[in-house]
Amino acid sequence: MQAVDKTNERSDFIKYYFIFKRRWMPSGAVAIAIFSLMAISILSKPNIYQAKGQLRFNLNEDKPNIIGIPGLGEASGTGS
């Protein structure tokens, strides 16, 4: 039973290989055309979303607390 299944699987693979071998150029052309159109469409649209952020540190303190939790994220100007 297993030998029959492996033969059928192999023959299916060979059948698909020959179909692909015959039709590789049209399918490749279609894939390239679709990806090209998608790239043109994406690149031609204006940017809708732009993010901007600011970080504010009070460096006048002796050991400024950068993340807002006491004891964590303390910055030191001496590198220690």
Side-chain angles (χ1 to χ4, degrees), residues 56-65 75:
R56 295 185 183 199
F57 302 109
N58 188 1
L59 297 177
N60 294 331
E61 298 175 6
D62 186 31
K63 285 190 167 182
N65 189 353

Side-chain angles (χ1 to χ4, degrees), residues 5-22:
D5 289 340
K6 287 185 180 182
T7 305
N8 286 339
E9 288 177 11
R10 182 164 169 78
S11 65
D12 286 343
F13 176 73
I14 291 171
K15 189 170 35 172
Y16 290 132
Y17 171 74
F18 284 125
I19 291 170
F20 178 75
K21 188 176 173 184
R22 253 186 310 185

Side-chain angles (χ1 to χ4, degrees), residues 6-77:
K6 287 185 180 182
T7 305
N8 286 339
E9 288 177 11
R10 182 164 169 78
S11 65
D12 286 343
F13 176 73
I14 291 171
K15 189 170 35 172
Y16 290 132
Y17 171 74
F18 284 125
I19 291 170
F20 178 75
K21 188 176 173 184
R22 253 186 310 185
R23 309 244 190 256
W24 72 271
M25 195 176 288
S27 62
V30 168
I32 289 172
I34 289 172
F35 286 119
S36 299
L37 290 174
M38 284 183 357
I40 290 169
S41 172
I42 290 170
L43 294 175
S44 66
K45 291 184 179 179
N47 291 337
I48 296 173
Y49 177 76
Q50 292 181 350
K52 184 165 57 167
Q54 289 182 334
L55 298 176
R56 295 185 183 199
F57 302 109
N58 188 1
L59 297 177
N60 294 331
E61 298 175 6
D62 186 31
K63 285 190 167 182
N65 189 353
I66 294 175
I67 61 173
I69 300 173
L72 293 177
E74 293 178 348
S76 71

